[in-house]
């Protein structure tokens, strides 16, 4: 498909559907945790994604050759990927989809702050600074608005660590030779390295299996095929067609859909504070992504 200078009708519909897909994924993870222990489930997902990606790359004639200078950044991104999903799957086991999604999708905030410090020419504009303040206010409202300070708060904090790891991966791609590696190989680095790390870590988190039912198996297959492998490749396909800043501007829809689906599908109690935090984070993400920048997505 030819490169385009703006988002057309097809692109807009595809990006809205993709954002809905990501929001629904948070619900699927929480449901899947009912059958599989969270860290073990994250490891299974990465392991399954390795198989799907190998098959897809073989069918497309894509090799796994990468520049030697990209190996270390690739290993680092794989380690961050493992930590991100260990935290995210555990967070969704402890807190609600709505709260975890609002906090997770604050990632552009931490990426923008790190980029402003580490990358020349990435200084904060007034608009982006306002976006940062709005989104950080949303995260603070979500964290400080929690009444209980037990497992739920731990889940919120784990979601924040996941967001920081996601930002770390995106920053790694921006400032290291990993940026020279095609998307399929970048993803293979992440799932190939994270699979053994997560499965090994799962040994320290109790039983692997809880009460596996067909819905949990279906949820795991959904994540492996439609999210962790083909979904991520679809995102990069859209990135290859449309401007990065325009694609990134749709990212604020993912936490919106996640909160709505958490309420509609799981019956979560979404209070005023969560809606307020969601509004602040979504507005902040939109403002941060208004100018051209490297966009990243974690699904």
């Amino acid at each position: 498909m030819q490169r385009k200078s703006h988002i057309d009708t097809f692109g807009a519909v595809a990006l809205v559907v993709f954002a809905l897909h990501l929001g629904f994924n948070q619900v699927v993870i929480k449901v899947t945790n009912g059958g599989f222990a969270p860290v073990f489930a994250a490891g299974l997902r990465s392991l399954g994604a390795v198989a799907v990606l190998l098959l897809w790359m073989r069918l497309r004639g894509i090799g796994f050759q990468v520049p030697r200078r990209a190996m270390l950044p690739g290993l680092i991104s794989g380690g961050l990927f493992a930590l991100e999903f260990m935290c995210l799957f555990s967070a969704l086991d402890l807190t609600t989809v709505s709260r975890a999604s609002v906090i997770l999708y604050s990632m552009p905030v931490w990426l923008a702050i790190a980029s402003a410090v580490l990358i020349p020419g990435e200084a904060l504009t007034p608009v982006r600074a306002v976006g940062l303040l709005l989104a950080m206010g949303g995260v603070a409202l979500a964290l400080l608005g929690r009444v209980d300070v037990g497992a739920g708060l731990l889940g919120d904090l784990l979601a924040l660590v996941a967001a920081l790891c996601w930002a770390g991966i995106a920053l790694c791609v921006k400032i290291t030779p990993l940026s020279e590696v095609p998307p399929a190989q970048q993803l293979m680095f992440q799932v190939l390295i994270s699979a053994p790390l997560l499965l090994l870590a799962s040994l320290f988190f109790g039983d692997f299996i809880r009460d596996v039912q067909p819905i949990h198996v279906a949820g795991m297959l959904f994540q492996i095929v439609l999210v962790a492998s083909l979904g991520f490749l679809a995102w990069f396909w859209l990135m290859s067609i449309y401007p990065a800043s325009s694609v990134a501007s749709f990212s604020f829809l993912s936490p919106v859909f996640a909160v709505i689906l958490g309420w509609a599908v799981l019956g979560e109690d979404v209070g005023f504070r969560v809606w307020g935090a969601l509004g602040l984070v979504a507005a902040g993400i939109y403002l941060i992504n208004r100018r051209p920048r490297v966009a990243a997505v974690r699904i």
Side-chain angles (χ1 to χ4, degrees):
M1 205 166 177
Q2 187 176 1
R3 180 80 181 178
K4 300 184 179 182
S5 61
H6 64 281
I7 300 289
D8 55 16
T9 302
F10 172 81
V13 171
L15 287 166
V16 170
V17 171
F18 192 80
L20 178 62
H21 183 70
L22 296 186
F24 181 63
N25 182 51
Q26 308 302 311
V27 175
V28 173
I29 291 175
K30 190 166 185 70
V31 171
T32 304
N33 281 350
F36 301 93
V39 179
F40 181 64
L44 280 183
R45 190 182 87 147
S46 286
L47 185 62
V50 170
V52 174
L53 277 173
L54 283 175
L55 177 61
W56 183 85
M57 292 172 71
R58 182 175 180 83
L59 291 175
R60 296 293 300 271
I62 300 174
F64 191 57
Q65 294 80 17
V66 297
R68 183 182 296 273
R69 60 184 177 277
M71 291 297 292
L72 180 57
L75 293 173
I76 293 172
S77 73
L80 288 172
F81 189 91
L83 180 57
E84 175 190 344
F85 282 99
M86 182 173 71
C87 290
L88 178 59
F89 275 62
S90 298
L92 286 166
D93 201 44
L94 298 171
T95 190
T96 62
V97 167
S98 56
R99 297 181 68 90
S101 297
V102 168
I103 296 170
L104 174 69
Y105 282 96
S106 67
M107 182 280 280
V109 174
W110 319 119
L111 176 60
I113 292 173
S115 297
V117 173
L118 298 174
I119 303 177
E122 289 283 340
L124 294 177
T125 63
V127 171
R128 296 185 80 204
V130 171
L132 285 174
L133 291 174
L134 288 175
M136 291 177 70
V139 173
L141 182 61
L143 291 173
L144 299 177
R146 178 173 286 282
V147 177
D148 60 295
V149 293
L153 179 59
L154 175 60
D156 293 348
L157 294 174
L158 287 172
L160 181 58
V161 174
L164 293 171
C165 290
W166 180 8
I169 294 171
L171 185 65
C172 189
V173 172
K174 290 180 70 172
I175 66 175
T176 74
L178 193 60
S179 60
E180 304 169 14
V181 177
Q185 285 90 330
Q186 286 185 30
L187 180 58
M188 181 59 79
F189 257 126
Q190 294 173 6
V191 294
L192 186 62
I193 293 168
S194 65
L197 290 178
L198 287 166
L199 292 175
L200 180 62
S202 69
L203 296 172
F204 302 94
F205 288 87
D207 295 335
F208 300 154
I209 304 297
R210 291 175 170 176
D211 181 24
V212 178
Q213 302 295 328
I215 190 174
H216 303 129
V217 176
M220 179 59 66
L221 292 175
F222 173 85
Q223 292 181 64
I224 290 172
V225 178
L226 297 179
V227 178
S229 47
L230 300 185
F232 193 75
L233 293 172
W235 168 266
F236 274 107
W237 178 69
L238 290 170
M239 288 283 291
S240 70
I241 298 173
Y242 301 104
S245 58
S246 298
V247 173
S249 66
F250 280 78
S251 61
F252 80 94
L253 289 173
S254 294
V256 173
F257 285 135
V259 170
I260 293 173
L261 289 169
W263 167 75
V265 178
L266 301 177
E268 293 183 351
D269 182 17
V270 182
F272 171 76
R273 286 184 181 273
V274 174
W275 287 117
L278 173 63
L280 290 171
V281 170
I285 292 172
Y286 178 77
L287 291 176
I288 290 168
N289 287 315
R290 282 190 63 186
R291 77 176 184 81
R293 60 190 293 273
V294 174
V297 68
R298 173 61 57 249
I299 48 182

